[in-house]
Amino acid sequence: MAHVMNAAIEMALEQASRTDAFQNLPGAGQPLEFLSRPSDAVIDRIMKENQAKPLAVGLKQQLTQASAQLQNMSDARERKEQMRLIADLQTRLGLELEAMQKYG
């Protein structure tokens, strides 16, 4: 489920990006330490070599595609079925994100 501040945060980031506020930041181009733990190096390498993505990323992509398809549908029955699919994807994505936060 989206946080109520997501829209405001995205707007602030877009504004900062448009005004080049992200230029010449300290550490630019360096890996983020909290994302590069030695214990995860093997898993990261295997995922990159096999072009694997976390489940949450795949679910988010499916959700984006399903939402775009819904916009082009006019048949009420098809729209209802598509909305069911979107609700299912949103639920699965929420559960996956919650599991990631809880278990890593």
Side-chain angles (χ1 to χ4, degrees), residues 15-17 24 31 56 59 61 68 81 91:
Q15 176 64 27
S17 180
N24 302 319
L59 288 170
Q61 289 174 340
E81 189 60 35
T91 301

Side-chain angles (χ1 to χ4, degrees), residues 34-101:
F34 69 91
L35 293 178
S36 58
R37 297 183 305 226
S39 62
D40 294 338
V42 173
I43 293 171
D44 290 343
R45 191 189 83 231
I46 291 170
M47 288 184 73
K48 285 179 186 174
E49 287 174 357
N50 293 292
Q51 298 175 344
K53 299 178 210 168
L55 181 57
V57 172
L59 288 170
K60 181 66 175 165
Q61 289 174 340
Q62 290 176 15
L63 186 57
T64 301
Q65 290 172 351
S67 296
Q69 290 173 349
L70 178 64
Q71 298 299 321
N72 298 323
M73 293 181 170
S74 58
D75 182 52
R77 192 176 78 232
E78 287 179 354
R79 288 182 59 81
K80 188 173 183 177
E81 189 60 35
Q82 191 71 4
M83 286 188 276
R84 278 193 190 122
L85 173 64
I86 290 170
D88 178 61
L89 290 170
Q90 287 174 331
T91 301
R92 291 173 54 201
L93 178 60
L95 290 171
E96 182 62 24
L97 292 174
E98 184 178 324
M100 286 174 60
Q101 288 177 342

